[in-house]
Amino acid sequence: MEKKEIFTYDAGFQAYGMGWSQRPNDQRVAIGSMIEEYSNKVHVVKLEEEKNELVQQLEFRHPYPTTKIMWSPDVSAGAKDVIATTGDYLRIWDLHDDTADRRVTLSNNKNSEFCAPLTAFDWNVVDKNMIGTASIDTTCTIWDVNEQKPTTQLIAHDKEVYDMAFAKSNKDLFASVGADGSVRLFDLRRLQHSTIVYESSDLVPLLRIAWNTEDPNYLATIMMDSPTVTVLDIRVPSIPVAELNGHKGAVNSIAWAPHSACHIASASDDGKALIWDLSSIPKPVEGRWTVSLSPFPLFLLAFCASARPHTNTYTYSP
């Protein structure tokens, strides 16, 4: 049988949250639905090598759409298959061969029946017991997964927080973005202060933040309704080091390559996903500078979502 390089899976619903298993050579991905009602679902899909296609391993119900899905970064021998999801709350799920059990639903609002929806979260890869969530109530909350309780909650922005990301080499650093148009850097050891490393023009809301997996100096973010990806160097605040202009629609998702410091992918309303090569960006020595990149000939791979007009999310396999 001829080995395929592109696989398609039709979930039967508009997909939004998506996350790859972090285990080496484990070709499984969790996909969350975007259905405008309470009852939603998550599919766990795997590559069936004998059939040379993606097949559904299991399905479980999820209250409201998942705003993000991540697998546990703990891939040690004997570690369970665990995923986390956000929506109205943070939920931890234990996966089995064909079922999923909800381990816990985590809420930091015990005194009310109402909750502030969670827009995103990140799982700390250095301290695998730590998850951070972002909320429309302007806060970020740091959770202890084993103890199933929050360790820190802080007002991170002046308006809604739309995303947060831990540094990949330092368990205490995280960055966040929000409706106030700023990128803010926090250190869990010194939460009395935060650093604003970037503010968008006219304070247009920033929707997503991604931390370079190989070089901790670089972040990427996207603005609301913008076709541009902005790349930042935290050593040179305020001014982007690169602006990636190649999409014809608003960018919805960004992801750095897991094993390369100079490759980043973006997905857009134009139905395309582009992979960018940033190796041509000069290294900063002194002062500030900006490089604006177009995708030709810099993108290495692109694909269109033919079944539906928009590409909502993009994620790399580890």
Side-chain angles (χ1 to χ4, degrees):
M1 182 183 296
E2 182 181 355
K3 185 175 179 61
K4 294 192 295 185
E5 295 183 355
I6 299 176
F7 299 89
T8 301
Y9 173 76
D10 186 356
F13 50 72
Q14 181 176 352
Y16 187 71
M18 182 168 67
W20 280 98
S21 169
Q22 298 301 297
R23 297 184 184 277
N25 304 314
D26 184 1
Q27 302 299 318
R28 289 182 298 166
V29 61
I31 305 169
S33 65
M34 175 60 79
I35 303 171
E36 295 183 6
E37 56 188 49
Y38 177 80
S39 181
N40 275 254
K41 59 188 70 174
V42 173
H43 286 182
V44 175
V45 177
K46 65 179 180 179
L47 177 61
E48 187 69 62
E49 294 187 357
E50 293 183 0
K51 297 180 179 180
N52 206 26
E53 64 182 12
L54 292 172
V55 298
Q56 179 181 314
Q57 176 185 346
L58 63 92
E59 172 186 316
F60 62 91
R61 296 292 175 181
H62 192 280
Y64 299 107
T66 57
T67 53
K68 192 169 183 178
I69 303 175
M70 293 187 74
W71 296 65
S72 170
D74 185 357
V75 295
S76 59
K80 296 181 179 180
D81 281 332
V82 179
I83 66 172
T85 61
T86 45
D88 52 345
Y89 299 110
L90 170 64
R91 293 178 173 87
I92 310 295
W93 308 80
D94 292 314
L95 302 187
H96 309 289
D97 289 341
D98 56 2
T99 61
D101 295 327
R102 186 179 64 194
R103 179 191 301 182
V104 64
T105 298
L106 297 174
S107 170
N108 203 27
N109 190 11
K110 303 295 186 181
N111 299 320
S112 173
E113 61 180 307
F114 303 104
C115 64
L118 301 177
T119 51
F121 74 100
D122 195 23
W123 207 319
N124 197 308
V125 297
V126 181
D127 182 351
K128 300 175 178 61
N129 189 42
M130 185 187 299
I131 287 178
T133 56
S135 174
I136 65 169
D137 67 2
T138 75
T139 67
C140 286
T141 303
I142 308 301
W143 298 87
D144 184 310
V145 176
N146 290 338
E147 295 295 329
Q148 300 181 1
K149 65 181 182 180
T151 59
T152 301
Q153 185 178 49
L154 66 149
I155 297 176
H157 287 260
D158 299 328
K159 298 180 179 180
E160 298 94 331
V161 187
Y162 288 142
D163 199 9
M164 65 89 66
F166 287 108
K168 306 307 177 186
S169 58
N170 188 327
K171 69 182 182 66
D172 295 309
L173 295 182
F174 72 90
S176 62
V177 293
D180 59 7
S182 68
V183 176
R184 303 194 182 199
L185 189 64
F186 297 88
D187 188 328
L188 291 174
R189 297 162 295 187
R190 293 179 289 273
L191 287 176
Q192 298 86 351
H193 307 284
S194 65
T195 302
I196 297 178
V197 296
Y198 175 72
E199 288 185 318
S200 63
S201 177
D202 298 322
L203 300 181
V204 175
L206 298 174
L207 300 183
R208 291 288 176 260
I209 185 77
W211 211 308
N212 193 303
T213 57
E214 296 291 309
D215 189 333
N217 295 310
Y218 290 96
L219 299 168
T221 186
I222 54 176
M223 288 187 293
M224 180 180 288
D225 299 325
S226 171
T228 301
V229 178
T230 301
V231 181
L232 307 169
D233 186 335
I234 62 175
R235 300 166 296 181
V236 188
S238 302
I239 299 178
V241 298
E243 294 177 337
L244 311 181
N245 296 295
H247 288 289
K248 295 181 180 179
V251 177
N252 298 316
S253 181
I254 47 177
W256 291 93
H259 304 300
S260 170
C262 58
H263 292 95
I264 187 172
S266 56
S268 165
D269 274 354
D270 61 12
K272 295 182 179 180
L274 305 180
I275 299 180
W276 303 80
D277 183 352
L278 307 184
S279 58
S280 62
I281 294 180
K283 299 297 182 182
V285 179
E286 294 180 354
R288 298 175 177 178
W289 41 267
T290 301
V291 178
S292 184
L293 301 178
S294 72
F296 304 102
L298 292 174
F299 71 83
L300 304 179
L301 175 68
F303 67 89
C304 292
S306 57
R308 292 177 175 85
H310 306 309
T311 304
N312 289 324
T313 189
Y314 189 101
T315 183
Y316 272 104
S317 171

